Amino acid sequence: MDQAAHMNSISKACNEFKKQYDSCFHVWFSEKFLEGDKNDSTCAELLEVYQQCLKMCSELKKNYDACFNKWFAEKFLKGDTNDSMCASFLKIYKACVMEAMKEQNIELKEIEENHLGTEKEKRQPS
């Protein structure tokens, strides 16, 4: 695959997995699919590895959510407002999200900035 045509993954940590999958897919498409072979399992393992890489933050969120739901039901609703039992899960999940945002050049100040009722509301996105 031409390096100029290579598009990075949405997660920098997954770039190499995406590149391997893209290369496999390109070969399969041009050498098999276009010749009539519709069996698309050739690159399935590489696709699975890439998808697992992309799910990393999602899995961390599931872990945090499970902890939070347990804390809420077993502690908070009984009057215990100490939420420290899930602090480590939240810290790891938050770090993953912040890293993903950094890789995509998304800054929190841009998200939190109020545009309603200002000139920015009327401006076309750049």
Side-chain angles (χ1 to χ4, degrees), residues 2 12 46-47 61 109 123:
D2 184 347
K12 190 165 90 174
L46 290 171
L47 179 59
K61 182 180 185 315
K109 66 180 182 179
R123 189 172 60 201

Side-chain angles (χ1 to χ4, degrees), residues 60 64 67 83-95:
L60 294 172
Y64 169 70
C67 182
D83 62 356
S84 63
M85 72 181 263
C86 300
S88 62
F89 290 103
L90 179 59
K91 182 178 180 179
I92 294 168
Y93 169 58
K94 194 174 179 180

Side-chain angles (χ1 to χ4, degrees), residues 63-80:
N63 292 340
Y64 169 70
D65 286 348
C67 182
F68 176 85
N69 290 336
K70 181 177 179 164
W71 167 79
F72 189 80
E74 296 176 8
K75 305 274 185 175
F76 183 79
L77 292 177
K78 295 177 180 173
D80 183 354

Side-chain angles (χ1 to χ4, degrees), residues 11 15-16 21 29 31 38 42 61 66 76 78 83 89 93 100 114:
S11 173
N15 278 345
E16 188 57 36
Y21 170 71
F29 186 80
E31 295 178 8
K38 307 295 191 249
T42 304
K61 182 180 185 315
F76 183 79
K78 295 177 180 173
D83 62 356
F89 290 103
Y93 169 58
N114 188 6

Side-chain angles (χ1 to χ4, degrees), residues 86-113:
C86 300
S88 62
F89 290 103
L90 179 59
K91 182 178 180 179
I92 294 168
Y93 169 58
K94 194 174 179 180
C96 186
V97 170
M98 296 302 284
E99 181 62 28
M101 289 175 63
K102 181 180 173 185
E103 289 173 5
Q104 296 299 313
N105 296 316
I106 299 170
E107 295 186 33
L108 283 177
K109 66 180 182 179
E110 293 174 7
I111 295 170
E112 295 172 344
E113 192 173 333

